[in-house]
Amino acid sequence: MSKHVPSWDSVNTPSNVDERIALIQELHSYLVERGYANRTLYLYCSVAAHFLRWQHEAGSVRPRIDAPSVSHFLIEHVPACRCPHPGSMDFKSMRASLNQLLLMRGENRLRPSMPLASLAIETAVARFDGYLEQVCGLTAATRWYHRRYARAFLRELYGDTPVDFCRITADALLQFVNDQARSLIPASVGVLAYSLRTFLRFLQLQGHDSTNLIPAVPRPATWSLAPLPPSLSTAELKRFWYAFDRHTPVGRRDYAMARCLADLGLRCQEIANLSLDDVDWRSATIRLSGNKSRREGQLPLPQLTGGALADYLRHGRPVVPTRAVFVLHRAPVGQSATNTTVRGAIRRAYVRAGLPWSGTHILRHTAAARMVQGGVPLKEVADVLGHRNIDTTLIYTKVNLPQLARVALPWPGRQP
């Protein structure tokens, strides 16, 4: 047995352990294929051995690899564990280890637990999420914010007491928004208020009288068109491109993702969802299907963007069965990239370039600003950005400073 696989004797497991040993060896091979480091291999296999031994000592004839068994082990056994050589006792490490065992067996992984959330609150939030998806047609990212604020409000109002929607009052809504606003920026307060109003409309459809409560949710004052949308200057953009090491596979991947952001104005989710089948090299177009508006669109593929993608696919992307364009290069190697992968790559590039930014949306603003300044009609800019309403795109008319200067009136008292 490999030195990275803990021996069964080391955890004092009884003799009829052939199936359990085979499971540990299968897990080891599964993790090796996904590029996990030796230290992580030993940790994950040790935790799996601990879990399987606990099952055997509890009277299980055959191993049970499912979410309820793993949850019972983590919640009931681990806090009172007195097993010899248990391996790691860090809860997050143990959950991560057993998640890999679940994934290997085709089971759903465990999600982080949500303490102090009553079943009634979680049931209400789950129904609210179904309303957001099926009735409102919102994407997963938008629904996450709505669920987050609805859950926080219900926890604040009810705690562990029985849920009675008749107890929702205008004062409770106002107090919650005021309390939350102390730690949020104005834009986030607007999302919070909108989420609460959406939740109250959902309750109204469920038969609860919340009509008079909706106007009680305060509308924070925001002047979205007052400031100029932030964007990178030509010099800053040049420094940003030099921040990527295009001699390494990860550098090629990160550079290609950055070009999609700054050249096409794509969102992180759209980049993470890109498939090899979405790129039409002959017509130099790229298809978007997992976008925020839930509409399938097609964009022209600029030469520099296409060159960055081709360079990554030919010289950087590992040979893996997934059809995703961008994949992970660290364990689990070959898994599709996520929003976090894109954001992390851009954030690190900002640091290397010495730019005072952290988010990816400024690259979307940069793409829009460059199109407007280049004379692209506003309707076409809206189509590229995927805006349903052209009014959303109007903010970018302010970034065309050269043209605005031509129509600016002279200051009173000064010569024209």
Side-chain angles (χ1 to χ4, degrees):
M1 186 179 294
S2 168
K3 66 178 180 179
H4 302 303
V5 181
S7 66
W8 205 261
D9 294 337
S10 68
V11 289
N12 299 325
T13 307
S15 56
N16 62 344
V17 293
D18 290 345
E19 189 172 357
R20 290 169 171 79
I21 290 177
L23 275 172
I24 297 298
Q25 292 175 331
E26 183 182 357
L27 176 63
H28 178 265
S29 300
Y30 176 84
L31 297 174
V32 168
E33 290 176 0
R34 281 152 183 79
Y36 283 88
N38 291 338
R39 180 178 179 181
T40 307
L41 289 173
Y42 186 83
L43 169 66
Y44 282 16
C45 290
S46 297
V47 172
H50 182 194
F51 168 67
L52 294 173
R53 186 193 64 178
W54 164 77
Q55 279 200 343
H56 184 87
E57 292 182 349
S60 177
V61 178
R62 300 194 62 186
R64 290 185 56 191
I65 314 297
D66 53 33
S69 299
V70 171
S71 297
H72 185 65
F73 170 74
L74 293 173
I75 296 172
E76 300 295 334
H77 173 70
V78 171
C81 176
R82 296 295 183 270
C83 297
H85 312 292
S88 173
M89 291 299 291
D90 176 72
F91 184 84
K92 289 185 177 180
S93 297
M94 298 184 79
R95 186 176 62 204
S97 308
L98 296 177
N99 269 334
Q100 293 302 317
L101 185 62
L102 289 171
L103 291 173
M104 181 189 75
R105 299 291 293 222
E107 300 283 339
N108 293 326
R109 61 185 300 171
L110 293 178
R111 298 298 180 184
S113 59
M114 294 173 289
L116 303 180
S118 69
L119 178 60
I121 290 177
E122 290 308 312
T123 301
V125 172
R127 290 175 179 171
F128 179 46
D129 183 61
Y131 162 79
L132 295 174
E133 181 179 17
Q134 298 169 17
V135 178
C136 301
L138 300 182
T139 60
T142 305
R143 295 192 338 256
W144 182 86
Y145 282 103
H146 287 345
R147 292 197 309 269
R148 171 190 177 186
Y149 290 125
R151 180 184 289 113
F153 172 69
L154 295 177
R155 288 182 184 176
E156 180 72 20
L157 183 61
Y158 300 113
D160 293 326
T161 63
V163 174
D164 181 5
F165 294 120
C166 295
R167 289 168 51 191
I168 299 178
T169 63
D171 289 339
L173 291 165
L174 181 60
Q175 183 65 43
F176 178 75
V177 174
N178 287 336
D179 291 343
Q180 294 292 314
R182 294 189 180 98
S183 59
L184 297 175
I185 62 175
S188 296
V189 179
V191 175
L192 162 64
Y194 180 69
S195 299
L196 290 180
R197 286 193 293 272
T198 305
F199 181 68
L200 293 172
R201 294 188 189 98
F202 160 73
L203 292 181
Q204 188 176 0
L205 290 176
Q206 296 293 306
H208 301 282
D209 186 12
S210 59
T211 306
N212 296 329
L213 294 174
I214 295 176
V217 180
R219 295 177 180 270
T222 56
W223 296 273
S224 59
L225 296 179
L228 288 172
S231 61
L232 298 182
S233 65
T234 302
E236 290 174 329
L237 198 56
K238 186 176 181 180
R239 286 164 52 192
F240 178 68
W241 296 136
Y242 277 120
F244 296 95
D245 182 4
R246 283 178 269 169
H247 296 94
T248 66
V250 172
R252 290 188 177 99
R253 181 200 66 185
D254 295 351
Y255 177 71
M257 293 191 300
R259 298 263 20 157
C260 290
L261 286 164
D263 295 341
L264 299 174
L266 300 187
R267 301 178 178 91
C268 289
Q269 186 63 53
E270 292 168 341
I271 293 175
N273 289 340
L274 276 182
S275 167
L276 296 174
D277 303 319
D278 293 330
V279 184
D280 188 336
W281 298 103
R282 292 185 180 276
S283 62
T285 59
I286 189 168
R287 184 181 66 216
L288 300 179
S289 54
N291 52 22
K292 186 176 180 180
S293 63
R294 291 175 173 263
R295 298 175 180 176
E296 185 171 301
Q298 192 175 61
L299 296 178
L301 185 61
Q303 183 177 358
L304 290 175
T305 313
L309 285 172
D311 184 46
Y312 170 62
L313 295 176
R314 294 177 60 188
H315 306 296
R317 185 179 182 273
V319 180
V320 290
T322 180
R323 299 295 293 172
V325 171
F326 299 109
V327 299
L328 301 183
H329 289 246
R330 297 178 60 184
V333 175
Q335 182 174 306
S336 301
T338 63
N339 294 356
T340 305
T341 310
V342 182
R343 293 192 185 100
I346 302 305
R347 189 178 299 116
R348 291 189 294 271
Y350 287 147
V351 173
R352 292 192 299 268
L355 297 172
W357 309 105
S358 59
T360 59
H361 222 63
I362 189 175
L363 296 178
R364 182 172 166 86
H365 291 321
T366 301
R370 293 170 66 195
M371 283 188 283
V372 171
Q373 293 172 359
V376 178
L378 206 59
K379 177 61 171 66
E380 294 183 17
V381 176
D383 291 340
V384 171
L385 298 180
H387 291 163
R388 292 184 179 182
N389 192 333
I390 197 171
D391 290 342
T392 308
T393 321
L394 286 176
I395 187 174
Y396 295 110
T397 59
K398 299 187 303 179
V399 300
N400 199 346
L401 299 181
Q403 289 192 17
L404 289 176
R406 297 175 189 171
V407 299
L409 295 175
W411 190 259
R414 296 186 62 182
Q415 294 295 327

